[in-house]
């Protein structure tokens, strides 16, 4: 799989998830866009702080994480614009 595309789980509650790796990979985790409080790079990994203040270190670069957040945010905005038509 070339891209790790985000998915809309439930549109009206804006539940958008994105994968940390290819969904075909057993190590893949799905992250909820709305649950991310903060994130930062640690070496070539990303430490994410969630809204409940739990942290988790993911084996993906900060650039990759930011790309995933950007794609998920785009999907969120598309969903919002479709609801407002």
């Amino acid at each position: 799989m070339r891209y790790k595309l985000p998915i809309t789980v439930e549109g009206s509650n804006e539940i958008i998830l994105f994968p940390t790796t290819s969904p075909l990979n057993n190590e893949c985790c799905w992250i909820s866009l709305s649950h991310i409080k903060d994130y930062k790079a640690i070496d070539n990994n990303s430490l994410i702080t969630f809204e409940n203040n739990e942290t988790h270190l993911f084996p993906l670069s900060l650039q990759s994480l930011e790309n995933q957040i950007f794609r998920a945010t785009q999907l969120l905005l598309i969903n919002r614009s479709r609801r407002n038509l």
Side-chain angles (χ1 to χ4, degrees):
M1 179 174 285
R2 186 172 196 152
Y3 296 104
K4 301 174 288 193
L5 298 176
I7 60 170
T8 301
V9 175
E10 208 286 312
S12 62
N13 288 315
E14 300 184 336
I15 300 173
I16 307 284
L17 303 179
F18 63 87
T20 56
T21 67
S22 166
L24 301 175
N25 184 336
N26 288 337
E27 302 297 314
C28 179
C29 293
W30 288 85
I31 298 173
S32 172
L33 178 64
S34 64
H35 289 193
I36 297 173
K37 182 177 183 179
D38 194 24
Y39 57 89
K40 65 181 177 180
I42 295 185
D43 298 321
N44 198 34
N45 300 304
S46 295
L47 181 70
I48 298 177
T49 303
F50 294 97
E51 287 295 326
N52 63 359
N53 290 319
E54 288 187 22
T55 60
H56 189 81
L57 189 65
F58 292 94
L60 73 157
S61 69
L62 185 64
Q63 181 179 357
S64 179
L65 175 62
E66 288 179 335
N67 285 338
Q68 290 299 93
I69 290 171
F70 177 74
R71 286 186 189 116
T73 302
Q74 282 183 311
L75 181 57
L76 175 65
L77 295 174
I78 289 168
N79 288 345
R80 282 181 182 171
S81 68
R82 287 180 181 164
R83 277 200 325 265
N84 292 330
L85 290 180

